[in-house]
Amino acid sequence: MKRLSQSVTKALRQMGMILPVLLGVILLVGLFKTFVSGELMSSVFVGSLGGDAFVGALFGSLMAGNPVNSYVVGKGLLDMHVGLSGVTAFIFTWVTVGVIQMPAESAALGIKFAVFRAIAAFISALLVAIIVALMVGGVS
Amino acid sequence: MNKVGKKGKEGGHGTNGSFWRQWLFPCAVLLVYAVLVMFTPQQAIAALKASWGVFVQIAPALVMAFLVMIALNLWITPAHVKRFLGKGTGLKGVFFSSAAGIVSMGPIYAWYPLLKEFREKGVSGFHLANFLGCRAVKIPLLPMMAAYFGWAFTGLVSLFMVLSAIVTGLIVDKLGE
């Protein structure tokens, strides 16, 4: 019983350390969901393989949430004739980078860890987006 | 005494400075909301509603993470974790962290307290980064992704997500520790 009580106390302390930043991240996600629209995003893609991948990765990095949402937005972008490299990079970074949740990741795992992970994931997304666009070519 | 001092340095409630530092970021975001309420109150309310939606979405996962943390504190020692996910666990460790990332559910925010706990128990930066990267592959969502983009695209992207998670893990392990 004493061990259980110690475990609960420790878990509460661990949660308490992360919750304030988590609260900030949730409020920030709300702001992004309200102020960044799909139309705004599709207007800034440039039309080249690398350029679209970069813009897609940039927007995906700023977004967060359920991956399903990235599929819906990604399909919307494809329908607006955004290149496949841009859509791939967008979907990829949506789930792997997450600038919006970086404060929470830094608080939990260290700022150096969070920054290097985000940069590595961003560069991976660019490479993967270009390779996938070249391999798949078009989406039926 | 040393233990208390260490807690303070790690950002716990051990010192007043670290306690207030944790609230700087949410207070800054609240300040943005305060400004928005003055200029565009309707959009500020919409943003708050969207935030509430996000909170409702992650709450069950947070509760689950809390229960898992209690169980970990009770039964899992740093020695256990190090054996499976510590440095030098080889392919077995890669498999475990990749599989854990793929099967993990819920928003990432809910996982941070648990990952912090894992880190303190000795999990390497490679496995933490690999876990976070592999979370991009969600088996239950693959049919939906395929419905939108086709199976060729879905298969290729999923494969590259797992491979890039491993590469990212190697980079983080080398530079981010």
Side-chain angles (χ1 to χ4, degrees), chain A residues 15-121:
Chain A
M15 271 286 178
M17 279 158 70
I18 202 89
L19 280 179
V21 180
L22 196 58
L23 176 71
V25 169
I26 291 170
L27 289 168
L28 203 57
V29 172
L31 282 177
F32 269 90
K33 282 192 165 187
T34 309
F35 288 95
V36 181
S37 66
E39 289 79 19
L40 173 73
M41 288 200 295
S42 63
S43 66
V44 293
F45 283 89
V46 289
S48 72
L49 199 67
D52 276 1
F54 185 79
V55 175
L58 212 61
F59 275 112
S61 301
L62 295 173
M63 300 291 162
N66 196 309
V68 171
N69 297 331
S70 75
Y71 307 159
V72 176
V73 178
K75 181 66 177 163
L77 290 173
L78 267 184
D79 293 343
M80 290 178 206
H81 307 295
V82 170
L84 187 60
S85 64
V87 174
T88 309
F90 176 79
I91 292 170
F92 202 106
T93 51
W94 178 292
V95 276
T96 56
V97 180
V99 169
I100 222 169
Q101 63 236 16
M102 203 177 264
E105 187 172 332
S106 301
L109 302 170
I111 189 156
K112 213 172 153 191
F113 178 98
V115 169
F116 275 105
R117 197 190 69 77
I119 292 170

Side-chain angles (χ1 to χ4, degrees), chain A residues 3-4 6-8 10-31 33-35 64-68 70-72 74-75 78 84 87-88 91-92 95-96 100-105 107-110 112-113 116-117 120-121 124 128 131-132 135-136 139-140, chain B residues 7 10-13 22-23 25-26 29-30 32-33 36 40 43-44 46-48 50-52 54-55 57-58 62 65-66 69-70 73-75 108-110 112-113 115-117 119-121 125 128-129 132-133 136 138 141 144-145 148-150 152-153 156-157 160-161 164 168 171-172 175-177:
Chain A
R3 271 186 65 204
L4 178 66
Q6 282 174 339
S7 300
V8 173
K10 195 177 171 195
L12 279 171
R13 200 184 66 229
Q14 289 158 341
M15 271 286 178
M17 279 158 70
I18 202 89
L19 280 179
V21 180
L22 196 58
L23 176 71
V25 169
I26 291 170
L27 289 168
L28 203 57
V29 172
L31 282 177
K33 282 192 165 187
T34 309
F35 288 95
N66 196 309
V68 171
S70 75
Y71 307 159
V72 176
K75 181 66 177 163
L78 267 184
L84 187 60
V87 174
T88 309
I91 292 170
F92 202 106
V95 276
T96 56
I100 222 169
Q101 63 236 16
M102 203 177 264
E105 187 172 332
L109 302 170
K112 213 172 153 191
F113 178 98
F116 275 105
R117 197 190 69 77
S124 297
V128 169
I131 293 168
V132 168
M135 287 176 82
V136 178
V139 177
S140 54
Chain B
K7 260 183 232 164
E10 283 168 357
H13 296 171
Q22 290 177 90
W23 286 98
F25 173 65
V29 181
L30 280 173
V32 174
Y33 271 90
L36 286 173
T40 56
Q43 281 192 301
L48 272 177
S51 300
W52 175 250
V54 173
F55 176 75
Q57 193 188 1
I58 74 162
L62 263 179
F66 181 67
M69 283 162 77
I70 293 173
N73 291 335
L74 258 180
W75 294 300
I108 184 59
Y109 324 120
Y112 288 135
L115 294 179
K116 185 179 169 69
E117 166 77 0
R119 192 173 179 83
E120 284 163 9
K121 284 190 190 291
L128 291 169
L132 287 169
K138 286 282 151 276
L141 299 182
M144 189 172 173
M145 194 184 196
Y148 275 116
F149 305 104
F153 176 89
L156 265 180
V157 167
F160 280 124
M161 276 173 172
S164 89
T168 301
I171 293 168
V172 169
L175 304 171
E177 291 286 81

Side-chain angles (χ1 to χ4, degrees), chain B residues 9-154:
Chain B
K9 270 185 192 172
E10 283 168 357
H13 296 171
T15 62
N16 278 338
S18 57
F19 175 77
W20 289 113
R21 203 164 49 235
Q22 290 177 90
W23 286 98
L24 273 179
F25 173 65
C27 286
V29 181
L30 280 173
L31 201 65
V32 174
Y33 271 90
V35 173
L36 286 173
V37 165
M38 285 190 278
F39 293 102
T40 56
Q42 279 183 333
Q43 281 192 301
I45 290 166
L48 272 177
K49 280 183 180 168
S51 300
W52 175 250
V54 173
F55 176 75
V56 169
Q57 193 188 1
I58 74 162
L62 263 179
V63 172
M64 183 60 76
F66 181 67
L67 294 176
V68 173
M69 283 162 77
I70 293 173
L72 282 176
N73 291 335
L74 258 180
W75 294 300
I76 307 292
T77 65
H80 288 126
V81 178
K82 269 185 187 163
R83 202 169 73 213
F84 289 104
L85 296 171
K87 283 188 188 293
T89 47
L91 281 177
K92 185 179 69 179
V94 177
F95 173 78
F96 276 117
S97 55
S98 300
I102 290 170
V103 301
S104 69
M105 299 301 285
I108 184 59
Y109 324 120
W111 286 89
Y112 288 135
L114 197 62
L115 294 179
K116 185 179 169 69
E117 166 77 0
F118 274 139
R119 192 173 179 83
E120 284 163 9
K121 284 190 190 291
V123 172
S124 70
F126 167 81
H127 290 308
L128 291 169
N130 187 35
F131 170 88
L132 287 169
C134 284
R135 277 181 49 81
V137 181
K138 286 282 151 276
I139 291 169
L141 299 182
L142 291 183
M144 189 172 173
M145 194 184 196
Y148 275 116
F149 305 104
W151 279 107
F153 176 89
T154 304

